[in-house]
Every structure is written in structure tokens, then in C-alpha cells.
Amino acid sequence: MKSLTVILALLLCTSCIDHQSPQEILDAAIKAHGASGFDKYLVEFDFRKKHFTIDHRKGLNEYARTYVDDSLGMVTDHVSRDSVFRRELNGEIVTVTQEEEREVEHEIESVVSFFQLPYGINAPSLSKEYVGKNIVNGQMYYKVKVLYEKRGVDHHHDTFVFWVHEDKHTVDFLGYSYQGENGTGTRFRQAVHRQKILGILFQDYINYQTSDSTVAVENLDELYETGHLERLSFIAKENIRVIR
């Protein structure tokens, strides 16, 4: 009887250890990546022949994208807090349709959001769930699911899962499913080519996809481990600058 009690106590203890707080895991990831640096510095980078800037200083949430259009010239799009949008064409402010404004905002926010991960994923307003642990590439990872509610009448949710290294607390893999006007899909990304600038850890990604639309995002690591994901693209940012 005594041995049975000990066994039950050990099982309960193991269960307690494995039940992690998703908020604490994501907080640790923010710290490991130095992501709080986004609140202190202006950050710039190039992606697919377009120049992006991120400014969260003094509580701002301002993004800008600048590029050269062969027929129009120099285009700069600004998105700020509360989605206030402004377009400059060759230095002059111009108007755009609401549809184009919404499309440009989505494009900019998508690029910036991925670039600055894991910045922001521990926000109290986001729904977070610890969904277990698993070994990927021989390393143990916590898995945390985060739901982002998309603006608009359909109230769709984008589902993200972050694989956070048990010891280093870095986000080495992430998976997500999305719904939108351009369809739905599921992706899995592996972090590569890391570099640290003024304490902020930046990383590129190998982007994978699956043809199995029924697989849960949190199980994409199993497809990756067994070689059942298709490499889709390589996502790299260039000329990263962190300005004091």
C-alpha cells in the first residue's frame, strides 16, 4: 500500500512538472531573444527589394515600407497605431482606395510581425495554451499555441505554435495556419542563420508546407521529423540595422 502511494505521488509530481505556464515560457523566449530591444531602438531591414522600418519607441507602433515602382517612382507606405495609413509617392502624400489600403496594411504587418518574433507573443490579450513537449532534431521543446484574432467581419483566427527550447528558451521552430481572402494554408518554419545586434537576436527561416490540411499545427513537428514536409521557400532579411 505504501509503495502504491509513492508511485501515485511520483506520477502526480511528474504531471505537475510537465504542466508549464505558457505565459512564463513565452516571457522566457522574449528575454532569450532580447526582443525587448524593439522598444528601445529603431530597426530597419530589407526584404524582397523593399525597405522596412519598425519603431516601437515611446510606445509607438509605426511601420514603414519603401520601394521603387518602375512606373510610379519612389513609394513609401506608413502604418501607425490604430492602423492610420499614409502613402507618399515621390515625397508627396497621395490617396489610395480603402481596398488597397487594407491590402498594403496586411502586407506590411505580416512581414514585420514575422521579422520581430517573438516580440509581442506574450501579450496578455492573446489566447495562449501549453500543448506539450516534444523532441525535434534531438532537442527538447515546449510547445505553446497562440491565437491571433484577425480584424474584419469574419472574425477568423490565425493559429500559431511556437517551439521554445527547454534550456536555451529560443524559438527554433514555429508553425501556423491562416485563413484569409487569399485562401487558407499551413506552414512550418525552421530558424537558421542567427545574428545578434545590440542584444536582439535575428534569424532567417526555412519555410515548409504540408498537403495534409487536416493536420493540427502543434503536430507539424512530427511531420518534420519524419520527412513529410515539403520545403517551400527560404525567408531571409538583409541589411538589418539597429539604431540607438
Side-chain angles (χ1 to χ4, degrees):
M1 186 68 180
K2 183 177 180 180
S3 60
L4 179 59
T5 302
V6 172
I7 292 172
L8 289 174
L10 288 172
L11 288 174
L12 288 172
C13 182
T14 301
S15 176
C16 290
I17 292 173
D18 190 56
H19 184 70
Q20 301 293 324
S21 161
Q23 189 72 47
E24 291 178 355
I25 294 171
L26 297 181
D27 285 343
I30 293 285
K31 184 176 181 180
H33 283 257
S36 60
F38 281 102
D39 292 326
K40 298 185 292 185
Y41 308 123
L42 178 71
V43 180
E44 301 180 346
F45 65 96
D46 295 333
F47 179 62
R48 293 177 179 170
K49 297 182 179 181
K50 296 178 181 178
H51 184 73
F52 292 81
T53 62
I54 303 172
D55 193 353
H56 292 297
R57 296 171 300 177
K58 299 180 180 180
L60 296 176
N61 289 305
E62 296 187 348
Y63 310 140
R65 181 185 70 176
T66 301
Y67 63 98
V68 176
D69 183 280
D70 291 338
S71 58
L72 297 176
M74 183 72 70
V75 179
T76 301
D77 295 316
H78 301 266
V79 179
S80 61
R81 184 183 293 276
D82 300 323
S83 297
V84 176
F85 179 84
R86 184 176 82 255
R87 166 166 286 184
E88 296 178 12
L89 180 58
N90 298 316
E92 300 290 333
I93 296 177
V94 297
T95 59
V96 299
T97 64
Q98 287 187 341
E99 181 178 357
E100 185 176 7
E101 178 180 323
R102 186 171 64 251
E103 181 180 345
V104 171
E105 284 183 5
H106 175 71
E107 291 175 358
I108 294 174
E109 290 177 354
S110 294
V111 171
V112 168
S113 294
F114 274 110
F115 173 80
Q116 62 188 3
L117 286 175
Y119 179 89
I121 63 175
N122 62 344
S125 59
L126 296 176
S127 173
K128 298 173 282 287
E129 178 186 358
Y130 173 70
V131 291
K133 296 167 66 175
N134 197 20
I135 295 175
V136 186
N137 282 352
Q139 303 289 313
M140 182 64 75
Y141 289 89
Y142 298 121
K143 297 193 285 187
V144 178
K145 180 187 292 186
V146 178
L147 295 181
Y148 292 81
E149 184 172 350
K150 299 180 70 174
R151 294 191 299 268
V153 296
D154 294 332
H155 298 293
H156 287 153
H157 289 80
D158 286 343
T159 301
F160 280 72
V161 174
F162 299 93
W163 278 257
V164 181
H165 195 281
E166 184 180 40
D167 299 320
K168 299 177 182 177
H169 309 299
T170 51
V171 178
D172 296 347
F173 303 90
L174 65 92
Y176 64 98
S177 63
Y178 60 91
Q179 301 179 28
E181 296 177 355
N182 296 323
T184 62
T186 303
R187 299 288 186 268
F188 185 77
R189 293 188 178 186
Q190 175 188 7
V192 294
H193 298 171
R194 287 192 164 110
Q195 60 176 309
K196 184 170 284 190
I197 305 174
L198 287 181
I200 305 177
L201 183 64
F202 299 100
Q203 51 196 26
D204 297 328
Y205 296 96
I206 300 174
N207 195 29
Y208 297 90
Q209 67 177 354
T210 174
S211 57
D212 185 356
S213 60
T214 65
V215 64
V217 180
E218 57 264 36
N219 294 330
L220 287 172
D221 54 344
E222 298 176 8
L223 298 184
Y224 170 82
E225 281 284 281
T226 56
H228 287 88
L229 290 178
E230 175 188 355
R231 178 166 174 161
L232 179 63
S233 61
F234 181 69
I235 301 173
K237 312 301 190 299
E238 299 176 324
N239 303 319
I240 300 173
R241 296 180 64 207
V242 180
I243 303 170
R244 295 180 184 272

